Amino acid sequence: MTATHSTRMLILGSGPAGLTAAIYGARAGMAPIVVQGIQPGGQLMTTTDVENYPGFRDVIQGPWLMQEMQAQAEHVGAQMMWDTIVEVDVTQRPFRMVGDSGTVYLGDVLVIATGAQAKWLGLDSERLLQGKGVSACATCDGFFFRGKKVAVIGGGNTAVEEALYLTNHSHDVTVIHRRDSFRAEKILQQRLFANERINVLWNKKVERFIGGGEPEGLVAIELKDMETGELSTIDVDGGFVAIGHHPATELFRGHIELDDDGYIKVETGTTKTSVPGVFACGDVMDKHYRQAVTAAGTGCMAALDAERFLAEADFETVVQHAAE
């Protein structure tokens, strides 16, 4: 027999945004259910040292932070469900979701916090050295490379912005791009070319990341010239893959309004989506900041927006019944 779970607040995703929404929702008496998704804890579960989350003077571990957030959410009354949603219906309330387990979830309001994943090059050496010199977030990890030589891989806005940011920490930043021109906005390109700390290698493809030392970390990147096929290496301490992100929104395509990049559109200054009663928070709607602390902030916003929506809906129901 198929199990069905009903709640005032249904939350999809268990990263900083989803768990913060759960904490606020539980404290507001909405008894939220959090469907944790394919990666419980979000991207921080694969992040080692976290030095920029407020409240901790020392470096903390990403998985530990998410475990604490989940424990806090459960302590105040949120329920965690290990499942992945495969079917959605937001045409009427309560909203109906179906997990790959066959379990049905019903929510008077829905908070989408499914996040986004960084795009990677897909190299074995990249996977082996992630967190050991290879990163996809300069804002998160650039501080660890103060005074060291770093490289950024990519040619769009993300790559140029990451390179410019890294000059705050490094005097030697190399941008590696497989074409002979950037796709980034012209104003960003102008800033990059005017920065003496940045060097650009055109028509170069990353063949592999090279580790070494004790403990093993990134020491160099092997490159292939796209025109001649010639191989070369550059010595670096940090490599930042900046080729974009995939928001986890495919499930909602055709159900909720998305922007051209696939991120959920929200009303400015809120977490309200195109469907009343459905709210989005975290990286699934934020293509600019993508930080744990900003995700948590929008999770708080989503819970407050949801609480107000339900209060207004409940009041309208009372008024209708009184008029009958």
Side-chain angles (χ1 to χ4, degrees), residues 184-195:
E185 296 172 2
K186 293 299 182 183
I187 184 65
L188 291 175
Q189 294 189 44
Q190 291 170 7
R191 293 173 187 167
L192 182 142
F193 293 135
N195 195 308

Side-chain angles (χ1 to χ4, degrees), residues 37-54:
I38 197 168
Q39 187 179 31
Q43 293 186 73
L44 275 180
M45 294 301 289
T46 60
T47 302
T48 51
D49 294 346
V50 177
E51 201 171 38
N52 57 3
Y53 198 87

Side-chain angles (χ1 to χ4, degrees), residues 314-324:
D314 291 345
F315 177 74
E316 291 175 2
T317 299
V318 170
V319 171
Q320 289 174 0
H321 287 168
E324 292 175 352

Side-chain angles (χ1 to χ4, degrees), residues 9 22 27 30 47-48 51 64-65 75 87 107-109 122 137 166 196 200 205 212 242 246 267 294:
M9 174 187 279
R27 286 174 54 82
M30 290 186 281
T47 302
T48 51
E51 201 171 38
W64 176 85
L65 178 61
H75 177 72
E87 182 182 327
D108 291 334
V109 292
C137 181
L166 285 166
E196 296 180 351
V200 181
K205 174 188 175 184
H246 284 298
E267 181 182 313
T294 52

Side-chain angles (χ1 to χ4, degrees), residues 24 61 108 115 117 161 219 230 241 280 289-290 315 318 321:
Y24 274 80
Q61 299 299 299
D108 291 334
Q117 294 290 330
E161 289 170 350
V219 295
E230 180 182 356
V241 179
Y289 301 105
R290 296 192 295 267
F315 177 74
V318 170
H321 287 168

Side-chain angles (χ1 to χ4, degrees), residues 8 12 51 85 93 106 113 168 171 173 206 216 221 227 231 296 313:
R8 293 281 275 168
L12 307 187
E51 201 171 38
I85 299 300
R93 295 179 54 238
L106 303 176
N168 295 318
H171 63 282
V173 179
V206 174
E216 185 176 45
I221 299 175
E227 295 179 340
L231 296 178

